[in-house]
Amino acid sequence: MSDAAVHVGSGKVRELYALDDDRLLLVASDRISTFDVVLPTPIPDKGRVLTGLSAFWFARTRELVPNHLLALHDDGRSTECRRLEMLPIECVVRGYITGSGWKDYRATGEVCGHALPEGLVESQQLPQPIFTPATKAQTGHDENIDRETAAGLVGAERFAEVERIALELYGWVSDHARARGIILADTKLEFGVDPQGRLVLGDEAFTPDSSRFWPADSYAPGGPQPSFDKQFVRDYCEELGWDKTAPGPELPDDVVAGTRAC
Ligand code: Q0N
């Protein structure tokens, strides 16, 4: 039997290899994406930092739900994971109205079928966190879907379970972050099912690539909030006047250093 890992998938900034029938190797790169485009300049140690954050949250949330993490490799950026049957939906929880949720709310007054109060402003905290599933687009943007559509994709019982667990996870992590001066505005989770049919948290969890973290001391609803980790890159790209289509611009050293320091 060969030890060569077979490449089975890639995201914008991560790669996935099969180790055997039961295990995958998830490798986080130092690539950074902004405005949905991967930039040519890596951020040194980004992959290690995000891998460490996921491992931290997996360890702290394992009582709420089991997760796919088996082992963290010495390079700090690769993790061995249990191979799951992934659910075909992105499980998003929003405690604040921003991003595509804000876009949908402005157009329809709703997000994924949740009727929301009138007169919310951009980035405002919601009366309570909402579960807003999305389809997994192979290319382009994930599309927000209502609960009936999501339940049709995963089954009504599984839907009720992921909604409950995703809301519990958001509540736990956002409380932890808020007590340390950080707002968790929203987060995207991916779940799978193990061979025994148990729900398992997969992918990365509560990293700045899958979540919006805002510094609480500068929180000001009524407009977009600065991103904890990508603001240097965004500001630089805006200042360049780049049209936000691929290829993205190279980043100068001070922008790399500023982002790295986050
Ligand atoms: C899987 N994706 C989605 C990584 C993320 N534990 C798992 N078992 C089976 N499949 C997957 C996982 C996980 N995690 C998750 N694709 C397959 C997105 N990928 C894209 C590439 O980088």
Side-chain angles (χ1 to χ4, degrees):
M1 192 169 125
S2 148
D3 281 343
V6 178
H7 189 235
V8 293
S10 50
K12 279 206 282 283
V13 299
R14 290 170 307 145
E15 306 293 337
L16 204 51
Y17 302 87
L19 293 171
D20 55 39
D21 288 349
D22 310 318
R23 293 177 310 144
L24 297 174
L25 188 70
L26 184 54
V27 184
S29 74
D30 289 341
R31 298 193 292 272
I32 189 165
S33 72
T34 189
F35 306 112
D36 272 335
V37 174
V38 177
L39 303 182
T41 315
I43 307 296
D45 300 318
K46 175 175 178 285
R48 281 202 308 127
V49 170
L50 267 61
T51 298
L53 283 168
S54 273
F56 175 89
W57 290 116
F58 282 142
R60 269 153 193 79
T61 59
R62 50 180 295 186
E63 259 94 279
L64 296 179
V65 63
N67 59 69
H68 72 165
L69 178 61
L70 292 170
L72 181 58
H73 281 203
D74 284 337
D75 65 0
R77 69 173 67 251
S78 322
T79 51
E80 275 177 41
C81 306
R82 280 200 279 162
R83 197 167 196 167
L84 307 168
E85 198 66 54
M86 299 306 286
L87 298 182
I89 56 172
E90 309 272 7
C91 295
V92 178
V93 180
R94 302 170 189 274
Y96 294 72
I97 188 83
T98 180
S100 69
W102 171 243
K103 226 172 113 192
D104 292 352
Y105 171 75
R106 272 212 310 196
T108 68
E110 296 185 357
V111 183
C112 298
H114 295 273
L116 297 175
E118 275 177 50
L120 293 176
V121 298
E122 185 174 7
S123 307
Q124 190 169 341
Q125 186 171 21
L126 296 169
Q128 68 237 342
I130 54 174
F131 182 63
T132 60
T135 56
K136 291 186 185 183
Q138 289 308 318
T139 53
H141 279 283
D142 296 340
E143 194 189 333
N144 290 335
I145 52 178
D146 62 28
R147 53 196 302 118
E148 290 72 30
T149 307
L153 287 168
V154 302
E157 243 178 85
R158 193 65 83 182
F159 177 82
E161 186 185 16
V162 290
E163 175 174 50
R164 176 175 59 82
I165 297 290
L167 287 168
E168 272 183 39
L169 286 167
Y170 174 85
W172 200 89
V173 173
S174 61
D175 285 353
H176 184 100
R178 191 63 192 79
R180 290 155 183 82
I182 296 168
I183 291 170
L184 174 60
D186 57 26
T187 193
K188 185 202 80 178
L189 302 165
E190 288 195 39
F191 292 93
V193 176
D194 74 9
Q196 288 74 43
R198 282 183 300 238
L199 188 71
V200 179
L201 180 59
D203 204 49
E204 61 178 342
F206 304 106
T207 68
D209 278 0
S210 66
S211 310
R212 287 189 179 88
F213 292 102
W214 296 335
D217 59 4
S218 61
Y219 172 58
Q225 306 301 297
S227 149
F228 231 119
D229 61 317
K230 288 185 183 168
Q231 205 56 44
F232 286 95
V233 172
R234 288 194 192 155
D235 291 348
Y236 174 73
C237 288
E238 294 287 8
E239 169 192 309
L240 265 186
W242 164 52
D243 66 1
K244 296 169 192 171
T245 63
E250 295 274 359
L251 300 174
D253 291 348
D254 61 317
V255 173
V256 171
T259 303
R260 196 158 176 263
C262 294

